[in-house]
C-alpha cells in the first residue's frame, strides 16, 4: 500500500481528497498539511510514497515547494491538483519541469457528479504515477535507514540491560539488601517494507474516428505556404517533460511545420506552448482554428479539441479544430491527427511518437501508411517516462527509427 501526504489549504478539499484516496485499497493517506512550509518539513523528514499537492498554498506555493525539494535533491513523487486559472496552469507546467509526475484539474463546482469525475481522475493519476519509470522508491530507500536506526536502538537497549544485570550481580556479591532489578525495554520492530501490487495497464480500446455531426472545416485566413513535408508528433504521460528537452533542440532554421498532440486538459496547452516558446529557437504556439501552418513553427493541439490537418486549393496546410466527442476516451487524440493526414499532398510525413501511456498514435500511423509515405521515429524505451505509445508503434512494426529522447531532434533534421 502506498503512503500518501495530502497538501491543500482547504480543510474541505483535504477531506474530499482523503476520502477519495482511502477508498482505493492501493493507497492510504497517512498525513495532511495545510501550507507549503509544513509540507516541506514533512516531506524532508518522512518517507511518503506520493504527495498530492495543491498548487496554491500559504507560506510556500506548490511550485516553489517542488523547486526547493528539487534544488536540495530531496526525493519526492508528486501528483498536482490545479485549477484552470492562467496563473495556476503556468505554475503547473513549471512544476512538471521540476519533476511532478502528473496533475488533475480541481473541480470548480461542488456536486456529486463533479466529485465523481475528479475522484476517478485523481485515482487514475495516482495509479499512472506509480507505473512511471521516474517513480522513486522512497519508502523502500528510507525504510532501510529506519531499520538501521532500529538496530542501533536495540543495541543500545541491550547494553543498558546488560549494565543493569551487571549492577545486580555486583550488589548480590556485596550482600546488598537492595534488590537491583533490570527492566527489559521492548525491542523496536524494524518497519515492514511497503507491499506493491504488480502494475497492469488497461487494454487499448479500438480505434475510431470522431463521431457526431461534424462541421465542415473552417476556411483558412490569409495565405499559406506549401511545404513538401510535415512533422506530426504524439505524446502523453511524461510528454511535457520530454517536450521541454526535445523542442529546444530543434533548429531555428527548421524548414517545415511541426504539429503535435499532447494529452492535456483544456486550459493547460496554452501555458505549455508559452513556456516552450520562451526556451526554444523555433516558435511555439497553441494552434488556432483556420490558421495556416508555417515552416519553423510548432503547433500544439488545444486541450479538449481534436486537430485535423486540412489543405486549401494550393495544397497549403492549415488547422481545423474539431469538437467531436473523445476518441478512445482521448480529446485530443493523435489517431485523429494522423488519419487526417491521409488526405494531404505532402511528399512525406515524419511521424514522431514520444513517451506516453496507452497506444494512441499507432493505429493512426498504421492507417496513414496505406496512403502516404511516412518516416516514423519512436522514442527509445529507457528514455521514456512511460513506454506505452512508442512501444505500440515499435511492436506494431511501424518504426523506421528508434531514438533516445536527446537524439530525436537530430534524427528529424537528418531526415529533412
Amino acid at each position: 500500500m502506498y503512503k500518501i501526504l495530502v497538501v491543500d489549504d482547504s480543510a474541505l478539499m483535504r477531506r474530499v481528497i482523503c476520502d477519495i484516496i482511502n477508498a482505493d485499497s492501493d493507497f492510504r493517506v497517512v498525513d495532511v498539511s495545510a501550507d507549503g512550509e509544513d509540507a516541506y518539513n514533512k516531506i524532508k523528514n518522512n518517507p511518503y510514497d506520493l504527495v498530492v499537492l495543491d498548487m496554491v498554498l500559504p507560506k510556500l506555493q506548490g511550485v516553489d515547494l517542488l523547486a526547493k525539494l528539487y534544488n536540495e535533491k530531496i526525493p519526492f513523487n508528486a501528483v498536482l491538483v490545479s485549477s484552470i486559472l492562467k496563473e495556476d496552469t503556468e505554475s503547473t507546467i513549471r512544476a512538471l519541469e521540476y519533476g511532478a509526475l502528473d496533475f488533475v484539474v480541481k473541480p470548480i463546482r461542488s456536486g456529486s457528479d463533479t466529485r465523481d469525475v475528479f475522484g476517478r481522475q485523481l485515482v487514475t493519476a495516482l495509479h499512472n504515477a506509480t507505473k512511471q519509470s521516474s517513480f522513486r522508491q522512497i519508502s523502500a530507500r528510507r525504510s532501510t535507514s529506519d531499520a538501521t536506526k532500529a538496530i542501533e536502538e536495540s543495541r543500545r537497549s541491550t547494553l543498558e540491560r546488560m549494565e543493569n544485570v551487571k549492577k545486580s550481580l555486583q550488589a548480590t556479591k556485596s550482600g546488598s539488601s537492595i534488590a537491583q532489578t533490570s527492566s527489559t525495554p521492548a525491542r523496536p520492530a524494524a518497519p515492514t517494507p511497503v507491499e506493491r501490487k504488480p502494475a497492469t495497464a488497461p487494454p487499448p480500446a479500438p480505434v475510431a474516428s470522431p463521431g457526431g455531426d461534424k462541421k465542415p472545416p473552417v476556411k483558412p485566413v490569409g495565405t499559406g505556404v506549401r511545404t513538401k513535408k510535415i512533422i506530426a508528433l504524439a505524446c502523453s504521460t511524461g510528454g511535457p517533460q520530454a517536450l521541454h528537452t526535445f523542442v529546444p533542440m530543434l533548429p531555428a532554421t527548421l524548414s517545415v511545420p511541426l504539429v503535435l498532440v499532447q494529452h492535456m486538459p483544456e486550459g493547460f496547452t496554452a501555458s505549455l506552448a508559452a513556456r516552450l516558446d520562451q526556451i526554444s529557437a523555433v516558435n511555439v504556439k497553441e494552434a488556432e482554428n483556420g490558421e495556416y501552418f508555417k515552416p519553423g513553427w510548432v503547433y500544439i493541439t488545444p486541450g479538449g479539441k481534436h486537430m485535423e490537418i486540412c489543405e486549401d486549393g494550393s495544397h497549403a496546410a492549415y488547422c481545423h479544430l474539431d469538437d467531436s466527442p473523445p476518441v478512445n476516451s482521448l480529446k485530443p487524440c493523435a489517431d485523429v491527427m494522423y488519419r487526417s493526414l491521409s488526405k494531404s499532398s505532402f511528399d512525406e510525413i515524419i511521424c514522431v511518437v514520444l513517451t506516453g501511456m496507452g497506444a494512441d498514435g499507432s493505429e493512426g500511423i498504421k492507417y496513414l501508411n496505406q496512403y502516404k509515405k511516412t518516416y516514423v521515429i519512436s522514442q527509445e524505451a529507457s528514455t521514456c517516462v512511460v513506454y506505452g505509445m512508442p512501444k505500440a508503434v515499435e511492436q506494431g512494426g511501424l518504426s523506421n527509427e528508434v531514438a533516445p529522447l536527446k537524439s530525436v531532434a537530430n534524427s528529424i533534421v537528418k531526415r529533412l
Side-chain angles (χ1 to χ4, degrees):
M1 183 178 290
Y2 296 101
K3 297 184 293 182
I4 296 181
L5 167 69
V6 172
V7 186
D8 198 297
D9 61 333
S10 164
L12 174 61
M13 201 63 194
R14 288 198 302 273
R15 176 65 181 271
V16 168
I17 292 174
C18 289
D19 288 347
I20 290 169
I21 293 172
N22 290 333
D24 190 292
S25 60
D26 288 337
F27 304 106
R28 182 64 53 197
V29 177
V30 296
D31 212 344
V32 295
S33 185
D35 66 75
E37 284 188 4
D38 180 62
Y40 165 78
N41 290 322
K42 286 181 175 178
I43 295 168
K44 185 177 180 180
N45 296 302
N46 294 280
Y48 306 113
D49 295 299
L50 280 158
V51 179
V52 175
L53 178 66
D54 186 23
M55 294 306 296
V56 181
L57 295 169
K59 297 185 180 180
L60 193 64
Q61 295 281 12
V63 65
D64 298 323
L65 165 61
L66 295 189
K68 191 171 183 179
L69 295 171
Y70 178 86
N71 292 328
E72 295 180 16
K73 295 181 172 56
I74 299 172
F76 63 89
N77 297 306
V79 171
L80 313 176
V81 178
S82 176
S83 78
I84 58 172
L85 296 176
K86 186 174 184 294
E87 55 269 27
D88 289 355
T89 61
E90 291 172 352
S91 295
T92 299
I93 298 303
R94 287 177 53 213
L96 291 171
E97 293 181 50
Y98 287 123
L101 300 176
D102 206 346
F103 71 93
V104 292
V105 180
K106 182 182 291 188
I108 299 174
R109 298 180 299 275
S110 60
S112 59
D113 292 344
T114 305
R115 174 179 161 168
D116 288 346
V117 171
F118 171 71
R120 287 194 298 271
Q121 292 174 342
L122 177 58
V123 171
T124 298
L126 292 173
H127 279 287
N128 289 348
T130 63
K131 298 171 188 175
Q132 296 186 26
S133 62
S134 52
F135 182 79
R136 298 176 173 91
Q137 301 296 332
I138 295 174
S139 282
R141 185 183 65 81
R142 291 198 186 175
S143 62
T144 301
S145 175
D146 292 341
T148 302
K149 291 179 181 177
I151 292 170
E152 179 62 25
E153 290 173 3
S154 177
R155 187 182 68 85
R156 283 198 300 268
S157 68
T158 300
L159 290 175
E160 290 173 1
R161 186 170 68 252
M162 290 177 66
E163 185 65 25
N164 287 336
V165 171
K166 184 178 178 181
K167 289 179 180 178
S168 179
L169 289 173
Q170 288 176 343
T172 301
K173 286 181 180 179
S174 63
S176 173
S177 61
I178 302 175
Q180 299 284 341
T181 59
S182 65
S183 60
T184 306
R187 180 187 180 95
T192 56
V194 177
E195 294 183 1
R196 307 210 186 280
K197 293 186 177 180
T200 55
V207 175
S209 296
D213 296 327
K214 290 174 56 177
K215 294 181 179 179
V218 66
K219 290 185 178 180
V221 179
T223 305
V225 178
R226 183 184 186 276
T227 58
K228 293 183 178 181
K229 299 183 180 183
I230 191 172
I231 306 162
L233 184 148
C235 53
S236 182
T237 311
Q241 299 94 319
L243 293 173
H244 278 85
T245 298
F246 161 71
V247 177
M249 299 180 76
L250 294 170
T253 55
L254 190 70
S255 59
V256 302
L258 188 155
V259 294
L260 74 87
V261 165
Q262 160 67 55
H263 298 157
M264 262 188 168
E266 183 178 357
F268 288 85
T269 43
S271 295
L272 175 63
R275 178 59 180 154
L276 290 173
D277 188 63
Q278 290 176 355
I279 62 176
S280 305
V282 292
N283 298 291
V284 186
K285 71 186 299 292
E286 187 181 53
E288 298 178 49
N289 198 25
E291 73 173 318
Y292 282 105
F293 297 122
K294 296 182 288 188
W297 283 71
V298 174
Y299 299 88
I300 300 179
T301 307
K305 300 283 185 182
H306 295 300
M307 178 193 281
E308 293 180 323
I309 289 82
C310 301
E311 293 184 351
D312 65 9
S314 66
H315 299 298
Y318 66 94
C319 173
H320 170 58
L321 296 180
D322 177 15
D323 199 22
S324 295
V327 176
N328 297 334
S329 302
L330 298 171
K331 189 177 180 181
C333 174
D335 284 330
V336 173
M337 174 184 69
Y338 285 126
R339 290 173 72 94
S340 73
L341 283 163
S342 64
K343 303 173 184 177
S344 69
S345 62
F346 293 107
D347 295 344
E348 183 177 75
I349 297 160
I350 300 174
C351 303
V352 181
V353 180
L354 302 182
T355 175
M357 191 164 291
D360 189 27
S362 59
E363 289 298 325
I365 293 172
K366 184 178 180 180
Y367 179 86
L368 178 60
N369 281 344
Q370 301 175 60
Y371 302 95
K372 302 298 301 181
K373 179 184 178 183
T374 64
Y375 186 81
V376 183
I377 303 170
S378 59
Q379 185 178 345
E380 188 268 329
S382 68
T383 64
C384 290
V385 171
V386 176
Y387 186 53
M389 288 165 56
K391 181 181 180 180
V393 170
E394 185 179 353
Q395 290 190 344
L398 302 171
S399 294
N400 297 102
E401 181 179 350
V402 177
L405 179 61
K406 292 186 177 180
S407 299
V408 173
N410 188 50
S411 296
I412 290 173
V413 171
K414 284 183 177 181
R415 188 65 187 177
L416 291 173

